Amino acid sequence: MSTARANRLTPYLFLAPAGIVLAVALFYPICYMVYASFLDWNPSQRIGEADFIGLRNYTKLFSDAAFRESMWVTIKFSAVVVTIEMILGVGLALLLDRNIRGMSVLRTLFILPMMIAPIVVGLMWRYMYHPTVGIFNRTLTDWGFEPIPWLADGDWAFASIVIADIWQWTPFIFILSLAALQSLPASAIEASKIDGASGWQQIIYIKLPLMLPVLIVTLLLRLIDSFKVLEVILVMTNGGPGLSTEILSIRINRTASEFRELGEAAAMSNLLLIILLILTFAMFIYNKAQEVRAQRMRAVEEEA
Amino acid sequence: MSQKTYDRQNPAFYVLIVMLVIMAIGPIYLMLVTSLKLNVDIMSDTSSLIFMPTLRNYETALCDFLWYEPEHLRRCDPTFGRALTNSLIIGLVSTAITLVIGTMAAYALVRFRFMGRDVVSIWTLMMRMVPPAVLLVPVFGIWTFQFGIDGTRGGIILVYVALNLPFVIWILQSFIVQVPIQLEEAARMDGAGPFQVFFLVVLPLIKPGIAAASIFTFRVAWNEFLLANALADRNSRTVPVTIVNSLTEFDIDWGVIMATGMLLAVPPIIFTFMASRQIITGMTAGAVKG
């Protein structure tokens, strides 16, 4: 009897430590944040002393031009970055999907930008964008062009953070789509070759449609991650000049540490979390739908 | 692999690959070169390909650990040395804790059927998406006012463990599923208890998964800035925090800061070269099946 009970308890014993840590240090803080977003709270107060102000943080946010601007910058940044990275990454994967020597070395080198601390990535790019000693302006002046105010002008600063992000994250999409390409059924591609499809026709009618499920998940993963970008931009521009590169995460950080409005920062975090949850949920549903479809296909094949 | 034949390619193709490699590692190379230059060389007008490489910037950063006194330094600033110790302790301890409790949880989720398993899986996936910025306010508040562990290494370790657990559980699940259940049954027949089965049979078989998970965990703890910045006090600051702090000063000492950046970048670079296959497996898990 006692061994049976021990066996019944084992899964819970194995789960307990992780469950406790997640509950105390992840789940509880998130609930706490939802509650805090209804408070007028500054860092010197205990949470009990903060006044309950209902939805006022949220209404304040939506009437705040700076917040709307930062929301717009975030969306613009994610959209631009993800679009360009998808095109470049998938394009490179289609181009480099060949039987060549040294592919694994290439892949190793490509993941370096993702492994290095975002702080360091920001540092490298800030140095390269430096108005006088940076390599870009140095090259431009050497070739007789006007130097570009990379991080000093709003539009250029936005372009600069986009370039840095593309450098860091295109390899991610490249590696995922290469893996997808190499797991495609060889028979489909062979068949299209025999039917006389050209390289482009193969890509458009065979490869891309077959890769689509992976590409959609990649897109969603990258989209979710692009909302999390913070340190690279923090080091490069700290959101400036003006508000031109102030994405939501940086605004949250500033609202909490500079303006000392914890309630407002919590409300912003809440909105960011809702966006991410919607995206995650979309990914989950998509994955489930794919599984169901794959099962049905298998069932049909077995019947036939 | 040795008997594999390679296709002959157009030369333009190789030019493209060389350009891609230069683009990928060029910035890292520039950082390395800058960290080996004196400030005079960095600031000089001629774009200098020829310069005397010097370790002075590294001596300045690491003066705390050196057995001799670098002659160019008037006073040793121990900030960076202390931060490096903190980063190492926080990274290693949080990785160890995350892995132990993460593997156990993943194993339970895969192997035992009990109520709420699906719910747990969905929650792990959702929690994986929580960005550090979202945790900033609540973690600061709770750690300071309720737990009283702000400014300690333990406090920072706790956040990192929680932040990494969902991902570790998620990725290890996919490795544990592949362990043949017959092996475990055989061990149980021979009289092994659930803990013995787990530690002596399952763990050795999922070593690659554990390698991938530990690299990802260590990397997050080693690289993270925002939460460390909010929680750390003078004595528990990590390297990313000190780097950002020295940046806000008006006159940036590029040589030294690039040396510290390089030191922060070195462990992840080593991991990448040692275990790139595992890292790629970790990245593609979830998006690409197999």
Short mmCIF file of all heavy atoms in Angstrom, two decimals, chain A residues 264-300:
data_model
loop_
_atom_site.label_atom_id
_atom_site.label_comp_id
_atom_site.label_asym_id
_atom_site.label_seq_id
_atom_site.Cartn_x
_atom_site.Cartn_y
_atom_site.Cartn_z
N GLU A 264 2.12 53.30 -13.11
CA GLU A 264 2.04 53.49 -14.56
C GLU A 264 2.90 52.47 -15.29
O GLU A 264 2.49 51.90 -16.31
CB GLU A 264 2.54 54.89 -14.90
CG GLU A 264 1.46 55.79 -15.45
CD GLU A 264 2.08 57.09 -15.88
OE1 GLU A 264 2.18 57.98 -15.02
OE2 GLU A 264 2.47 57.20 -17.06
N ALA A 265 4.12 52.23 -14.75
CA ALA A 265 5.01 51.26 -15.39
C ALA A 265 4.35 49.88 -15.39
O ALA A 265 4.44 49.14 -16.37
CB ALA A 265 6.35 51.22 -14.66
N ALA A 266 3.67 49.56 -14.29
CA ALA A 266 2.99 48.26 -14.21
C ALA A 266 1.89 48.18 -15.26
O ALA A 266 1.71 47.15 -15.91
CB ALA A 266 2.42 48.04 -12.82
N ALA A 267 1.15 49.28 -15.44
CA ALA A 267 0.09 49.29 -16.45
C ALA A 267 0.67 49.05 -17.84
O ALA A 267 0.12 48.29 -18.64
CB ALA A 267 -0.67 50.61 -16.41
N MET A 268 1.82 49.68 -18.11
CA MET A 268 2.46 49.47 -19.41
C MET A 268 2.91 48.03 -19.57
O MET A 268 2.72 47.42 -20.63
CB MET A 268 3.70 50.36 -19.51
CG MET A 268 3.44 51.71 -20.04
SD MET A 268 5.02 52.54 -20.12
CE MET A 268 4.58 54.05 -19.37
N SER A 269 3.53 47.49 -18.51
CA SER A 269 3.99 46.10 -18.57
C SER A 269 2.82 45.19 -18.89
O SER A 269 2.94 44.23 -19.65
CB SER A 269 4.60 45.66 -17.24
OG SER A 269 5.46 46.63 -16.76
N ASN A 270 1.68 45.51 -18.27
CA ASN A 270 0.48 44.73 -18.49
C ASN A 270 0.08 44.71 -19.96
O ASN A 270 -0.24 43.67 -20.52
CB ASN A 270 -0.66 45.37 -17.70
CG ASN A 270 -1.31 44.36 -16.81
OD1 ASN A 270 -1.16 43.18 -17.06
ND2 ASN A 270 -2.00 44.81 -15.81
N LEU A 271 0.11 45.89 -20.58
CA LEU A 271 -0.26 45.97 -21.99
C LEU A 271 0.72 45.17 -22.85
O LEU A 271 0.31 44.41 -23.74
CB LEU A 271 -0.28 47.43 -22.45
CG LEU A 271 -1.39 48.26 -21.82
CD1 LEU A 271 -1.25 49.72 -22.21
CD2 LEU A 271 -2.74 47.74 -22.27
N LEU A 272 2.01 45.31 -22.53
CA LEU A 272 3.02 44.55 -23.27
C LEU A 272 2.78 43.05 -23.13
O LEU A 272 2.82 42.29 -24.10
CB LEU A 272 4.42 44.90 -22.75
CG LEU A 272 5.61 44.21 -23.41
CD1 LEU A 272 5.66 44.54 -24.89
CD2 LEU A 272 6.91 44.62 -22.75
N LEU A 273 2.47 42.65 -21.91
CA LEU A 273 2.22 41.23 -21.65
C LEU A 273 1.02 40.74 -22.43
O LEU A 273 1.03 39.63 -22.98
CB LEU A 273 2.01 41.02 -20.16
CG LEU A 273 2.17 39.59 -19.67
CD1 LEU A 273 3.57 39.12 -19.91
CD2 LEU A 273 1.83 39.49 -18.20
N ILE A 274 -0.02 41.57 -22.52
CA ILE A 274 -1.23 41.15 -23.25
C ILE A 274 -0.89 40.93 -24.72
O ILE A 274 -1.29 39.92 -25.32
CB ILE A 274 -2.35 42.19 -23.07
CG1 ILE A 274 -2.86 42.14 -21.63
CG2 ILE A 274 -3.49 41.94 -24.06
CD1 ILE A 274 -3.79 43.24 -21.27
N ILE A 275 -0.11 41.85 -25.30
CA ILE A 275 0.29 41.68 -26.70
C ILE A 275 1.02 40.35 -26.88
O ILE A 275 0.73 39.56 -27.77
CB ILE A 275 1.22 42.83 -27.15
CG1 ILE A 275 0.49 44.17 -27.08
CG2 ILE A 275 1.76 42.58 -28.55
CD1 ILE A 275 1.37 45.34 -27.39
N LEU A 276 1.98 40.09 -25.97
CA LEU A 276 2.78 38.87 -26.09
C LEU A 276 1.92 37.63 -25.90
O LEU A 276 2.12 36.62 -26.57
CB LEU A 276 3.92 38.88 -25.08
CG LEU A 276 5.00 39.91 -25.38
CD1 LEU A 276 6.05 39.94 -24.29
CD2 LEU A 276 5.65 39.61 -26.71
N LEU A 277 0.97 37.70 -24.98
CA LEU A 277 0.12 36.55 -24.74
C LEU A 277 -0.72 36.23 -25.97
O LEU A 277 -0.90 35.08 -26.34
CB LEU A 277 -0.80 36.78 -23.54
CG LEU A 277 -0.13 36.59 -22.18
CD1 LEU A 277 -1.15 36.70 -21.07
CD2 LEU A 277 0.56 35.24 -22.12
N ILE A 278 -1.22 37.29 -26.62
CA ILE A 278 -2.01 37.06 -27.83
C ILE A 278 -1.16 36.35 -28.88
O ILE A 278 -1.58 35.36 -29.49
CB ILE A 278 -2.55 38.40 -28.39
CG1 ILE A 278 -3.58 38.97 -27.41
CG2 ILE A 278 -3.17 38.20 -29.77
CD1 ILE A 278 -4.05 40.35 -27.76
N LEU A 279 0.09 36.83 -29.05
CA LEU A 279 0.97 36.22 -30.05
C LEU A 279 1.29 34.77 -29.69
O LEU A 279 1.25 33.88 -30.53
CB LEU A 279 2.27 37.02 -30.17
CG LEU A 279 2.14 38.37 -30.85
CD1 LEU A 279 3.44 39.14 -30.77
CD2 LEU A 279 1.74 38.16 -32.30
N THR A 280 1.60 34.54 -28.40
CA THR A 280 1.90 33.18 -27.96
C THR A 280 0.72 32.27 -28.20
O THR A 280 0.85 31.13 -28.66
CB THR A 280 2.23 33.16 -26.46
OG1 THR A 280 3.15 34.20 -26.19
CG2 THR A 280 2.82 31.83 -26.05
N PHE A 281 -0.45 32.79 -27.88
CA PHE A 281 -1.67 32.00 -28.02
C PHE A 281 -1.90 31.65 -29.49
O PHE A 281 -2.24 30.52 -29.82
CB PHE A 281 -2.85 32.79 -27.46
CG PHE A 281 -3.95 31.91 -26.98
CD1 PHE A 281 -3.73 31.03 -25.94
CD2 PHE A 281 -5.20 31.95 -27.57
CE1 PHE A 281 -4.74 30.21 -25.49
CE2 PHE A 281 -6.21 31.13 -27.14
CZ PHE A 281 -5.98 30.25 -26.10
N ALA A 282 -1.65 32.64 -30.36
CA ALA A 282 -1.79 32.40 -31.79
C ALA A 282 -0.87 31.27 -32.21
O ALA A 282 -1.27 30.36 -32.96
CB ALA A 282 -1.46 33.67 -32.57
N MET A 283 0.36 31.29 -31.68
CA MET A 283 1.32 30.25 -32.04
C MET A 283 0.84 28.89 -31.56
O MET A 283 0.93 27.90 -32.29
CB MET A 283 2.67 30.57 -31.41
CG MET A 283 3.78 29.76 -31.97
SD MET A 283 5.35 30.38 -31.43
CE MET A 283 5.63 29.31 -30.06
N PHE A 284 0.33 28.86 -30.35
CA PHE A 284 -0.13 27.61 -29.76
C PHE A 284 -1.27 27.02 -30.58
O PHE A 284 -1.25 25.85 -30.96
CB PHE A 284 -0.59 27.89 -28.33
CG PHE A 284 -0.92 26.65 -27.56
CD1 PHE A 284 0.09 25.81 -27.11
CD2 PHE A 284 -2.23 26.31 -27.28
CE1 PHE A 284 -0.19 24.68 -26.41
CE2 PHE A 284 -2.53 25.17 -26.58
CZ PHE A 284 -1.51 24.35 -26.15
N ILE A 285 -2.24 27.88 -30.92
CA ILE A 285 -3.39 27.42 -31.71
C ILE A 285 -2.92 26.90 -33.06
O ILE A 285 -3.34 25.85 -33.54
CB ILE A 285 -4.39 28.60 -31.96
CG1 ILE A 285 -4.89 29.14 -30.63
CG2 ILE A 285 -5.52 28.18 -32.87
CD1 ILE A 285 -6.02 28.39 -30.03
N TYR A 286 -1.99 27.65 -33.67
CA TYR A 286 -1.50 27.25 -34.98
C TYR A 286 -0.84 25.88 -34.92
O TYR A 286 -1.09 25.01 -35.75
CB TYR A 286 -0.53 28.30 -35.52
CG TYR A 286 -0.06 27.99 -36.92
CD1 TYR A 286 -0.86 28.31 -38.01
CD2 TYR A 286 1.14 27.36 -37.15
CE1 TYR A 286 -0.47 28.00 -39.28
CE2 TYR A 286 1.55 27.04 -38.42
CZ TYR A 286 0.74 27.37 -39.49
OH TYR A 286 1.14 27.05 -40.74
N ASN A 287 0.02 25.70 -33.88
CA ASN A 287 0.69 24.41 -33.71
C ASN A 287 -0.31 23.27 -33.56
O ASN A 287 -0.17 22.22 -34.16
CB ASN A 287 1.59 24.45 -32.47
CG ASN A 287 3.00 24.86 -32.83
OD1 ASN A 287 3.38 24.80 -33.99
ND2 ASN A 287 3.74 25.31 -31.85
N LYS A 288 -1.33 23.51 -32.72
CA LYS A 288 -2.35 22.48 -32.48
C LYS A 288 -3.07 22.14 -33.79
O LYS A 288 -3.26 20.97 -34.12
CB LYS A 288 -3.35 22.97 -31.43
CG LYS A 288 -2.93 22.59 -30.01
CD LYS A 288 -3.53 21.27 -29.62
CE LYS A 288 -2.88 20.50 -28.55
NZ LYS A 288 -1.76 20.51 -27.90
N ALA A 289 -3.43 23.19 -34.53
CA ALA A 289 -4.15 22.98 -35.79
C ALA A 289 -3.30 22.16 -36.75
O ALA A 289 -3.80 21.26 -37.42
CB ALA A 289 -4.51 24.33 -36.42
N GLN A 290 -2.00 22.46 -36.78
CA GLN A 290 -1.10 21.70 -37.65
C GLN A 290 -1.07 20.22 -37.26
O GLN A 290 -1.11 19.35 -38.11
CB GLN A 290 0.32 22.27 -37.55
CG GLN A 290 0.52 23.53 -38.35
CD GLN A 290 0.38 23.29 -39.83
OE1 GLN A 290 0.82 22.26 -40.33
NE2 GLN A 290 -0.25 24.21 -40.53
N GLU A 291 -1.00 19.98 -35.94
CA GLU A 291 -0.96 18.60 -35.46
C GLU A 291 -2.21 17.85 -35.90
O GLU A 291 -2.14 16.73 -36.39
CB GLU A 291 -0.84 18.57 -33.93
CG GLU A 291 0.58 18.46 -33.44
CD GLU A 291 0.68 18.72 -31.94
OE1 GLU A 291 -0.19 18.22 -31.20
OE2 GLU A 291 1.61 19.42 -31.54
N VAL A 292 -3.36 18.50 -35.70
CA VAL A 292 -4.63 17.86 -36.06
C VAL A 292 -4.65 17.54 -37.54
O VAL A 292 -5.03 16.44 -37.96
CB VAL A 292 -5.82 18.79 -35.68
CG1 VAL A 292 -7.11 18.25 -36.27
CG2 VAL A 292 -5.91 18.93 -34.18
N ARG A 293 -4.17 18.51 -38.34
CA ARG A 293 -4.17 18.30 -39.79
C ARG A 293 -3.26 17.13 -40.17
O ARG A 293 -3.63 16.28 -40.97
CB ARG A 293 -3.68 19.57 -40.49
CG ARG A 293 -4.58 19.97 -41.63
CD ARG A 293 -3.98 21.09 -42.44
NE ARG A 293 -2.89 20.63 -43.26
CZ ARG A 293 -2.07 21.44 -43.94
NH1 ARG A 293 -2.23 22.74 -43.85
NH2 ARG A 293 -1.13 20.95 -44.70
N ALA A 294 -2.08 17.10 -39.53
CA ALA A 294 -1.14 16.02 -39.84
C ALA A 294 -1.76 14.67 -39.51
O ALA A 294 -1.64 13.71 -40.27
CB ALA A 294 0.16 16.23 -39.05
N GLN A 295 -2.49 14.62 -38.38
CA GLN A 295 -3.13 13.37 -37.98
C GLN A 295 -4.17 12.93 -39.01
O GLN A 295 -4.23 11.77 -39.39
CB GLN A 295 -3.80 13.53 -36.62
CG GLN A 295 -2.95 12.97 -35.50
CD GLN A 295 -3.46 13.40 -34.15
OE1 GLN A 295 -4.61 13.82 -34.03
NE2 GLN A 295 -2.63 13.29 -33.14
N ARG A 296 -4.95 13.93 -39.45
CA ARG A 296 -6.01 13.59 -40.41
C ARG A 296 -5.39 13.08 -41.71
O ARG A 296 -5.85 12.11 -42.29
CB ARG A 296 -6.88 14.82 -40.68
CG ARG A 296 -8.27 14.44 -41.14
CD ARG A 296 -9.16 15.66 -41.30
NE ARG A 296 -9.29 16.42 -40.08
CZ ARG A 296 -9.48 17.74 -40.03
NH1 ARG A 296 -9.49 18.45 -41.14
NH2 ARG A 296 -9.63 18.37 -38.89
N MET A 297 -4.30 13.74 -42.14
CA MET A 297 -3.63 13.30 -43.37
C MET A 297 -3.17 11.86 -43.23
O MET A 297 -3.32 11.05 -44.14
CB MET A 297 -2.40 14.19 -43.62
CG MET A 297 -2.72 15.62 -43.89
SD MET A 297 -3.00 15.93 -45.62
CE MET A 297 -1.32 16.18 -46.17
N ARG A 298 -2.59 11.56 -42.06
CA ARG A 298 -2.08 10.21 -41.83
C ARG A 298 -3.24 9.21 -41.90
O ARG A 298 -3.13 8.15 -42.50
CB ARG A 298 -1.38 10.13 -40.47
CG ARG A 298 -0.07 9.39 -40.55
CD ARG A 298 0.70 9.55 -39.25
NE ARG A 298 1.10 10.92 -39.00
CZ ARG A 298 1.10 11.48 -37.79
NH1 ARG A 298 0.69 10.80 -36.74
NH2 ARG A 298 1.51 12.72 -37.64
N ALA A 299 -4.37 9.58 -41.29
CA ALA A 299 -5.54 8.70 -41.29
C ALA A 299 -6.00 8.43 -42.72
O ALA A 299 -6.28 7.29 -43.10
CB ALA A 299 -6.66 9.33 -40.48
N VAL A 300 -6.01 9.51 -43.52
CA VAL A 300 -6.44 9.35 -44.91
C VAL A 300 -5.50 8.41 -45.66
O VAL A 300 -5.92 7.51 -46.38
CB VAL A 300 -6.50 10.73 -45.61
CG1 VAL A 300 -6.70 10.56 -47.11
CG2 VAL A 300 -7.59 11.57 -45.00
#
